[in-house]
Amino acid sequence: MPTSADHPTADLDRLRDRTIVVSGATGAVGGAVLERLVEHGARIAIAARKDWQVSRLREQLAGAPTLVAHVGTHDTEAAAGFVKGATDALGPIDALVSCAGAFAMAPVGRDPGRQASELFDANFFAAHTLTRAVVSALRRRRTGNLVFTGAAAVGSATRGMALYLASKAALHEYARTLAAEVRD
């Protein structure tokens, strides 16, 4: 009997008319995810971490059912407002796909002063702030998906990657624990 693995686009066709919140849509991974979501008819709410990304994304997605807004990495009020606006404009949220992230390497002690904050903001707090805003709606509906982009290198000791791997490891543990917390 054929499975969805035999026909991968069959699974993607289930995205039609689903409301998906996406972060990190201007990066390589997020851009590819965004392209597939549009291609398969999803309604997309994009939370841009940087204000200047908003107009670029709106222009790129002209004509597609989307909402694009700036949501600061630690701005829980903006995230809550964004989720309400997305729900009002596009319908109930079915999933959050967090592709937000950043990469940098430097030996400990030689890393730029703000590198730790920047990596944790991009790799952990961007996902947490949006998850915090989305999870209540998913719980009320008793359905939904939370998807996070991690890093295969987590768990390996690689020189110069302490801060990057620590920020991604935080996301991995967050996702693992969150899965247990919201499973029901």
Side-chain angles (χ1 to χ4, degrees), residues 6 56 59 123:
D6 299 323
R56 180 177 151 215
E59 187 177 297
N123 294 329

Side-chain angles (χ1 to χ4, degrees), residues 98 144 160 176:
S98 178
R176 203 167 64 80

Side-chain angles (χ1 to χ4, degrees), residues 2 8 12 15 37 74 77-78 82-83 90 92 103 116 122 125 134 143 149 180:
L12 292 175
L15 294 170
L37 290 172
H74 295 275
E77 286 184 31
F82 172 73
V83 167
L90 302 172
F103 176 80
F125 285 108
V134 166
T143 188
T149 303

Side-chain angles (χ1 to χ4, degrees), residues 24-45:
T26 59
V29 173
V33 167
L34 180 60
E35 186 177 305
R36 294 304 290 257
L37 290 172
V38 169
E39 178 183 326
H40 290 279
R43 297 181 303 250
I44 306 155

